[in-house]
Amino acid sequence: MMQIENDETLDILCNDELKIIQKKDGYRFSIDAILLSNFITLKKHERLLDIGTGCGIIPVYMSKKGNQNFMTGIEIQEELFQAAQKNKYLNNCENVQFIHGDIILHVENLRKTPFHVIVSNPPYTKECTGRKSPKYSRFIARYESYIDLSKLLSASSVLLNKKGRFYIIYPSKRLGELIYTAKANKLEPKRLRLIYPKREMGANLFLAEFIKEGGMEVTIEKPLYIYDNEQYTKEIESYYYLKG
């Protein structure tokens, strides 16, 4: 039986189908990871890499949804990596593996077998801006201290097959910066979906798909609304049902 430490919590989601161990005081995944997971297109036999996997929520969730593709998550923080390892075994995700380390230092080894799909729910805040989190684990996950947008996109471009796809969730105020930096790394925007907390509010996040050395045509998808009358919208609710 999986040991739950005193400084950890066990969260049971998706009608008891998904079990996630996390540190009580460390970085904890948010709905952003669930939104991003449901935006990804993953074809049969495609290999996926999750950069900054945290507790492993994206590959574990996708595996539990029925994706049997080989998926790898890499995480720089030791305590999050250990949580990801536990979550892999707790959820019987034999098609998922996790690597502990800095993606920049692993590029040369990983590029030997390029990926078809790369996904990242990266730090949103530039270093030295915004309110600092008092918890180190949360600080690393939220601020671009170890990897900024340019380094993330550069590494992703190197590790993708030609015509491989890159997926990201990011703040709407940084959309222009993301597209500019992605194009500089041969990643062309293909799909874009704006995320709104409520219908009467402006977009605060967006989901984006890029294709390595792709064409210039972009599809703007319908808006994604999170709440309707203080409850999740039907689409968001559907994300928490893993079967049927």
Side-chain angles (χ1 to χ4, degrees):
M1 184 175 179
M2 184 67 64
Q3 180 68 36
I4 311 298
E5 305 297 337
N6 291 333
D7 64 343
E8 294 176 331
T9 63
L10 174 62
D11 298 296
I12 301 177
L13 309 168
C14 304
N15 286 353
D16 300 337
E17 293 289 334
L18 180 65
K19 301 175 179 64
I20 298 293
I21 293 173
Q22 302 185 82
K23 292 293 183 182
K24 290 180 180 178
D25 294 327
Y27 174 76
R28 299 173 67 83
F29 80 87
S30 69
I31 191 176
D32 296 4
I34 304 300
L35 302 181
L36 182 54
S37 297
N38 283 278
F39 184 70
I40 297 167
T41 299
L42 192 57
K43 302 171 185 175
K44 192 174 181 179
H45 303 310
E46 288 187 327
R47 298 171 63 252
L48 178 146
L49 173 66
D50 178 21
I51 298 178
T53 195
C55 66
I57 179 63
I58 290 177
V60 169
Y61 173 86
M62 293 184 67
S63 178
K64 295 296 286 184
K65 284 201 75 172
N67 291 288
Q68 292 306 304
N69 306 64
F70 183 70
M71 293 181 276
T72 299
I74 185 166
E75 174 54 49
I76 196 169
Q77 295 194 58
E78 171 70 25
E79 66 176 25
L80 294 179
F81 165 74
Q82 293 298 339
Q85 290 282 69
K86 288 184 178 182
N87 291 326
K88 167 186 174 175
Y89 293 109
L90 185 63
N91 290 280
N92 299 311
C93 298
E94 297 181 359
N95 58 316
V96 174
Q97 73 165 8
F98 293 109
I99 299 170
H100 175 227
D102 184 338
I103 184 62
I104 303 303
L105 300 180
H106 281 264
V107 166
E108 287 305 314
N109 184 52
L110 290 173
R111 72 184 301 180
K112 296 174 184 176
T113 51
F115 294 86
H116 304 92
V117 172
I118 294 180
V119 56
S120 186
N121 179 12
Y124 287 169
T125 310
K126 290 179 178 289
E127 195 171 15
C128 299
T129 66
R131 183 172 64 87
K132 297 292 190 292
S133 170
K135 299 295 183 180
Y136 182 74
S137 176
R138 296 177 186 173
F139 175 81
I140 296 302
R142 293 174 180 172
Y143 289 83
E144 296 178 340
S145 300
Y146 282 96
I147 187 167
D148 60 19
L149 184 60
S150 180
K151 291 178 180 178
L152 170 64
L153 295 173
S154 175
S156 297
S157 182
V158 170
L159 293 172
L160 278 173
N161 284 319
K162 184 176 181 180
K163 303 300 181 182
R165 303 184 305 285
F166 174 77
Y167 295 90
I168 190 171
I169 184 168
Y170 219 51
S172 54
K173 64 183 179 182
R174 299 187 69 180
L175 174 58
E177 177 188 1
L178 173 64
I179 292 177
Y180 177 84
T181 309
K183 290 174 73 70
N185 286 282
K186 300 181 181 180
L187 298 172
E188 294 289 342
K190 288 286 106 181
R191 293 166 54 215
L192 181 67
R193 191 174 191 191
L194 296 176
I195 302 171
Y196 298 79
K198 299 179 180 179
R199 290 182 182 274
E200 64 271 20
M201 300 176 67
N204 62 338
L205 297 169
F206 65 88
L207 295 157
E209 176 192 80
F210 294 82
I211 295 183
K212 182 176 178 180
E213 299 180 34
M216 298 183 69
E217 183 176 315
V218 183
T219 299
I220 308 298
E221 299 190 347
K222 66 179 182 179
L224 176 58
Y225 299 106
I226 306 301
Y227 293 103
D228 183 17
N229 294 324
E230 309 306 322
Q231 301 292 325
Y232 280 151
T233 59
K234 290 184 178 180
E235 179 174 357
I236 299 302
E237 284 184 350
S238 73
Y239 293 169
Y240 288 89
Y241 290 89
L242 297 182
K243 295 180 179 177

